[in-house]
Amino acid sequence: MAETDWSEDVKKYVPDADDTAIEGIVRHCGIALQSRDASLVSFTDKSELERVREKFLKKKLGLSMSDDELDGPIASIGDKMKDVRNKNRVTVYYMLADHFGKLSDFA
């Protein structure tokens, strides 16, 4: 998928999304985005949601809140995207970084 596609998807949810931050998240995801399965987040898979919390929120963004405090925004984003079958990892990560005020980590 080309970067413009990632940007377009993010902007469905965040119309004024920062292209530099989107590119930074695409770089962070790297090779995972080459696999269709890995480029999507399954909100019905508990281990996938744990991975988002542990690897992205805690490790990448350096957040140290409780699991419950981190799981809330993940669930909220899943709810915002519930009408979409394929939830792009870049879009989910962008909205999480935005929620926690961490977009500058990717700019």
Side-chain angles (χ1 to χ4, degrees), residues 3-42:
E3 278 178 31
T4 50
D5 295 333
W6 298 118
S7 177
E8 192 178 302
D9 192 67
V10 171
K11 289 179 179 179
K12 288 178 194 167
Y13 302 94
V14 188
D16 60 347
D18 180 330
D19 287 317
T20 307
I22 294 169
E23 288 169 25
I25 291 171
V26 169
R27 269 195 309 277
H28 164 72
C29 292
I31 201 157
L33 299 179
Q34 293 175 14
S35 154
R36 174 141 177 80
D37 191 49
S39 72
L40 303 173
V41 174
S42 169

Side-chain angles (χ1 to χ4, degrees), residues 42 45-58 67 71 74:
S42 169
D45 180 347
K46 194 172 178 343
S47 66
E48 168 73 8
L49 299 179
E50 283 176 13
R51 193 167 28 257
V52 169
R53 182 185 67 223
E54 299 300 319
K55 300 274 192 253
F56 185 69
L57 295 181
K58 289 184 178 179
D67 288 355
D71 288 344
I74 294 171

